[in-house]
Amino acid sequence: MTIEQIIILVLAIALAAAIIAAVAIYVKYRAQKKKTAAGARYAEEVVVKDGVRYSADASVERGGAVNVSHAEGDFVLAAGKTYRAEKDSDLLPGTYTALAANDAAHTFKLRVGGLVRNFSHGDTIVLKEGEEICAVSGSVILR
């Protein structure tokens, strides 16, 4: 083979690879566009670490709506169960952001220190050493 034939062969292979890549990108773009145009709801991407599912997106709100996600380090308050903030326990004393575990409910009730109060998705809660907290109206995520 001559030098010209080798150059033409290499260019033809590079062109074929570029066309295949362009078609793959176009197909992926069309699928994404079809998914968003349909307005359907799809589950967010998740990451699994040590057998626990975490959301890839840990934002509190998206587009003004409640975004329910589970990030590493979150503490889930089960409805009706009382937890105590203590050192060397799962629930440590400190500042938390209270998130609704249900994306349809923007507000929820928590019993903190014996008093039941209304909270909204994204409100801040400060738990001191030995303070008890209980989710009254439904499960709540503390981030």
Side-chain angles (χ1 to χ4, degrees):
M1 288 173 78
T2 66
I3 299 275
E4 292 85 14
Q5 289 175 334
I6 294 173
I7 292 173
I8 291 173
L9 181 62
V10 169
L11 289 175
I13 291 172
L15 180 63
I19 290 173
I20 290 172
V23 168
I25 291 171
Y26 176 74
V27 167
K28 191 170 184 175
Y29 168 75
R30 291 282 295 169
Q32 183 67 27
K33 187 175 178 182
K34 185 177 181 181
K35 186 190 297 186
T36 57
R41 294 176 53 167
Y42 290 90
E44 298 295 325
E45 292 184 39
V46 295
V47 178
V48 179
K49 292 182 185 175
D50 297 327
V52 179
R53 293 170 46 100
Y54 298 105
S55 301
D57 177 21
S59 62
V60 174
E61 290 188 1
R62 183 179 302 129
V66 172
N67 182 30
V68 176
S69 61
H70 184 212
E72 191 169 4
D74 286 355
F75 189 84
V76 179
L77 299 174
K81 186 173 179 187
T82 302
Y83 300 90
R84 184 183 301 268
E86 296 178 322
K87 292 181 182 176
D88 300 325
S89 70
D90 291 334
L91 182 61
L92 299 171
T95 303
Y96 291 92
T97 301
L99 306 173
N102 180 358
D103 61 351
H106 188 70
T107 60
F108 46 89
K109 294 180 188 276
L110 292 177
R111 181 180 299 117
V112 181
L115 301 173
V116 176
R117 291 186 18 214
N118 286 327
F119 288 89
S120 294
H121 185 80
D123 284 352
T124 302
I125 298 175
V126 178
L127 298 176
K128 61 184 179 188
E129 176 73 28
E131 191 165 36
E132 292 184 343
I133 185 169
C134 176
V136 177
S137 60
S139 296
V140 175
I141 299 170
L142 296 181
R143 177 170 296 156

